Structure formats: structure tokens, C-alpha cells
Amino acid sequence: MNLKGLITCFLIEQGIRKTERNLFNFGRIKAAIDWLSTAQDATDDDGVSLRYSLIFGWSPSYPETTGYIIPTFLNYARLTGSNEYLDRAFRMGDWEISIQNKDGSFFGGPWGSRLGKFVFDTGQIVFGLIRLYTHGKDEKYLEAAQKASDWLVSVQDKDGSWSTYTYNNIPHSYYSRVAWALAQMFILTKKPVYKEASQKNIEWVLKNQNTNGWFDKTGFKLATHTYPYTHTIAYTIRGILETGEILKEEQYINRAITSASQLLHSMNSDGSFSATFGPNWETGSKFSCLTGNAQISIIFLRLFEIIGDKKFFVGARKINNFLKERQLLSIQDPRIRGAIAGSHPIWGGYQRFAFPNWATKFFADALMLEEKLAK
């Protein structure tokens, strides 16, 4: 890293952000969306760059997260009435369709990485395709979403998990987000096969939940299953919660509440979380995974929306206030301004020295949902 990068790191971790604390959420949301737009413009296609690294610069587009950034842009377009963000969302969706495999699957990792077909990445792209179809009723998005969903069903294990076309070739509890996408497809198409696949996966995930709300098989690797990141812990809980809400499965919602309550109890006094947790909800890191923080905020806000328990709203607002202090707006460099880093401090172990697009996406989602529920 050069001297300029080191100075940037220093500024990010120091107090110049203190003058920005009182900026309204809408200003911060706009800055986050502007950065995501810059990340889209940084590529030679219409996908969104995986991240901006202080060491390596911009990465290629990331199909997986571009897929679930689409709903974020559609939500922001509805909030602001701006056609620019509608156009950007549809460009993302058209790019996704252009790279879809004939069997309906999508490749994993950044575009061009040749990692092969991935279940999780395919499921996340379905979210964007569904939202584009429901917005404009263009059948090409529904067709692409159905092809992807049919492929997901075809490669699912009998026990409801996915163990092939997966990261590190092992089943993961956080693939509950794939079940959530399939539940949305069921509501859209009324095809029972999508509901059955969704329920089978959630039932498998719940078998990995302990009485204290902890989930086994939540890490990226077998070695990290003991202390996974809050990123994948939150993925797991959100998938269960949203699937339960869609399919009206109260048991799923209650099981998500059990885990979310443990996280609420584990929150630090400043609104942050340890980057990793162990099976007794003991902290496993001295840094914070900012992506996971934003995702947990969304879970808390959704629980407040679904069950009306105000303690979750209070907790989410505390998390968001912590995250707002991590969004540096005083630096005018568009490669950084408005973005959320992977870790706090930025040299922490998750996406070290980088700004992954999904961190900023979930941050924008959290603030938009807070604004909606605060009225």
C-alpha cells in the first residue's frame, strides 16, 4: 500500500467523521447509492464491481451481489422518484440474463473467475430478477428467474441441503437465503415445487440450530464453522425469518427470534458486534464485520415490523448510528466516499483494506428501512 493509501486508512479510523454524525439518513443513503453507482460504472459491463481495494483497486463485477443490489436500487428509485436508478437496476438485470447458463445456473465469484456454477450466487440473482419482473412485468425476467429456480431445485439434496455447486463443496446453513428466494418464486408462480424445496431447506437448517439459537454449518469453511462471521450468521437468520413470513410458518419466525435475541444481548455498548461468534455466543474476534452489523440491523428492523417488539427497533437504530460513523463522507474521492468498509478497523480480517459492495448495499437497506419504520 502506498503512502496515500495509508493516510486514507488513518483518516477512516480517526475522528474527522465526528463532524458528520448529524447528517440525516437520506444524505447518507444517497452517498451509499452514489458509491454503488460508481462501483457499477467502474466495470466494463453493467454489473457492480465486487469491491474497491485500497491495495488492488476495483475488482470485476460480481454477479451474486449485483443480483441483490437490484432491489436496493429499485427501492431507492421509488423513494426518490429518479429514473436513473431504475435504469441502472434494469441494466444490471439485463447483464445478469446475458451471462446466465443454458441450464439456468450462474457462475460464482467475480465475473471471469471460472469458479463454476454456484447455488448461492444463483439464488441471490433470483431476488433481482423477481423484483425486475414485478416492477415492469417483462416476461424475460420471469423466465430467467424460473430457469434459475428450476436448476436450484434440480441440484438440491434429498435432505433439503445443497452440497454440490457450493462454496468449498460443503452444505451451509446460510443457504437459507436460497430457500427465501424459492419462497418468493412460489408466491409469484404458485408452483408447489418451489415451496417444497424452500421448506425442505429451512427444515434442514433448523436441525442445525441449538437450543440457544446457535447454528452449526454457518461458516465458509469447515475450520470456521466454530467461529463464523456475523455476515453468514445474519444470512442464516434472515433467510429463515423471511421464508417464515412469506410462507406463514410461525415456527420459522420464532426460531429466528431466538437467534436474533441472542445477538441483541451480544451487542457492544457502541452498537457494534464482534466479527465472529462461537457456539455459546462468545466473541471470537477483536474487530467488527461491518457487513454483518448492517445485516443484523435489518433483521432487528424486520422483527420490529413483523412482531412489533420495540427493543429490536432500538437495537437497530443503535447499530445504524455506529455504522454511520464508519461511512466517511469528508473524503471526496468517489472510490471511497459513501462506502462502508469490510471491517472496523479497516485492517480487520474481513475484506481487509477493502470496501465490498454488499457492505454498502446492506447499509443503505438498513437506513431506508429505519426511515420507513420510524414514521
Side-chain angles (χ1 to χ4, degrees):
M1 184 182 300
N2 59 27
L3 178 60
K4 185 177 180 181
L6 289 172
I7 293 172
T8 299
C9 287
F10 176 79
L11 292 174
I12 288 170
E13 298 308 324
Q14 297 305 309
I16 67 171
R17 69 177 76 86
K18 291 179 181 178
T19 60
E20 303 160 353
R21 286 178 178 171
N22 294 324
L23 186 67
F24 290 122
N25 280 354
F26 287 116
R28 292 192 173 278
I29 296 165
K30 183 181 186 306
I33 297 296
D34 285 347
W35 182 84
L36 288 169
S37 299
T38 299
Q40 183 181 26
D41 294 341
T43 68
D44 58 5
D45 48 50
D46 284 318
V48 182
S49 171
L50 182 149
R51 63 177 166 242
Y52 177 72
S53 167
L54 294 175
I55 301 173
F56 302 108
W58 290 108
S59 295
S61 293
Y62 196 10
E64 173 205 320
T65 56
T66 297
Y68 62 44
I69 286 171
I70 290 170
T72 301
F73 270 60
L74 291 175
N75 290 341
Y76 187 69
R78 183 171 56 193
L79 182 69
T80 61
S82 173
N83 288 331
E84 174 189 350
Y85 304 102
L86 283 177
D87 174 68
R88 286 185 175 277
F90 278 96
R91 282 164 45 201
M92 291 177 203
D94 290 343
W95 175 69
E96 297 281 20
I97 290 176
S98 75
I99 63 172
Q100 186 173 25
N101 297 315
K102 289 183 179 180
D103 62 4
S105 66
F106 289 88
F107 290 133
W111 183 238
S113 59
R114 299 181 180 180
L115 290 180
K117 305 169 186 178
F118 267 34
V119 165
F120 190 79
D121 301 53
T122 300
Q124 306 321 292
I125 294 167
V126 168
F127 286 117
L129 295 172
I130 289 174
R131 279 295 303 275
L132 290 172
Y133 171 71
T134 57
H135 180 86
K137 301 302 180 183
D138 190 326
E139 292 289 333
K140 70 180 180 181
Y141 299 114
L142 178 60
E143 180 182 347
Q146 287 192 104
K147 284 175 60 180
S149 299
D150 289 343
W151 179 79
L152 291 171
V153 172
S154 73
V155 298
Q156 187 178 33
D157 293 356
K158 290 182 178 180
D159 66 0
S161 68
W162 282 278
S163 60
T164 55
Y165 304 108
T166 61
Y167 192 59
N168 289 316
N169 297 307
I170 56 175
H172 304 274
S173 293
Y174 67 85
Y175 280 39
S176 61
R177 277 188 65 99
V178 180
W180 172 18
L182 290 173
Q184 286 192 358
M185 280 300 297
F186 166 69
I187 296 300
L188 185 63
T189 66
K190 307 304 180 187
K191 292 186 177 181
V193 65
Y194 299 142
K195 181 179 180 181
E196 292 165 7
S198 176
Q199 289 176 316
K200 279 175 61 178
N201 179 253
I202 297 299
E203 295 294 337
W204 176 82
V205 173
L206 293 181
K207 289 177 182 177
N208 291 298
Q209 187 184 32
N210 300 336
T211 55
N212 68 353
W214 175 259
F215 291 94
D216 293 324
K217 299 182 175 63
T218 309
F220 291 127
K221 304 176 183 178
L222 286 173
T224 60
H225 277 196
T226 303
Y227 285 90
Y229 286 116
T230 51
H231 173 46
T232 51
I233 293 172
Y235 264 167
T236 304
I237 299 170
R238 180 96 188 271
I240 295 166
L241 175 64
E242 299 292 357
T243 303
E245 176 68 1
I246 290 170
L247 299 182
K248 306 305 177 186
E249 292 280 359
E250 188 174 347
Q251 177 198 4
Y252 298 174
I253 296 172
N254 289 337
R255 297 286 282 272
I257 291 170
T258 298
S259 301
S261 297
Q262 290 284 0
L263 283 171
L264 186 62
H265 179 73
S266 302
M267 185 169 58
N268 297 324
S269 59
D270 63 357
S272 69
F273 294 87
S274 168
T276 60
F277 284 96
N280 292 310
W281 296 99
E282 69 274 21
T283 59
S285 305
K286 294 183 178 179
F287 67 96
S288 187
C289 170
L290 297 182
T291 302
N293 288 6
Q295 291 172 262
I296 294 167
S297 171
I298 295 168
I299 290 168
F300 288 179
L301 289 167
R302 287 289 289 134
L303 283 172
F304 172 68
E305 190 172 22
I306 293 168
I307 66 173
D309 191 334
K310 193 169 183 179
K311 71 173 181 283
F312 287 111
F313 181 84
V314 172
R317 178 166 275 178
K318 193 170 185 178
I319 298 168
N320 288 350
N321 287 339
F322 169 80
L323 289 169
K324 286 189 284 188
E325 291 195 10
R326 311 278 83 75
Q327 185 193 34
L328 192 66
L329 301 180
S330 296
I331 292 180
Q332 296 304 308
D333 186 338
R335 298 171 299 178
I336 298 170
R337 189 180 190 278
I340 298 293
S343 293
H344 173 70
I346 198 169
W347 49 84
Y350 183 79
Q351 293 287 320
R352 181 176 284 125
F353 296 120
F355 301 86
N357 67 37
W358 54 98
T360 304
K361 171 262 189 319
F362 286 121
F363 172 69
D365 288 347
L367 292 191
M368 283 192 281
L369 187 52
E370 179 189 329
E371 285 297 315
K372 173 188 173 183
L373 298 179
K375 294 179 180 178

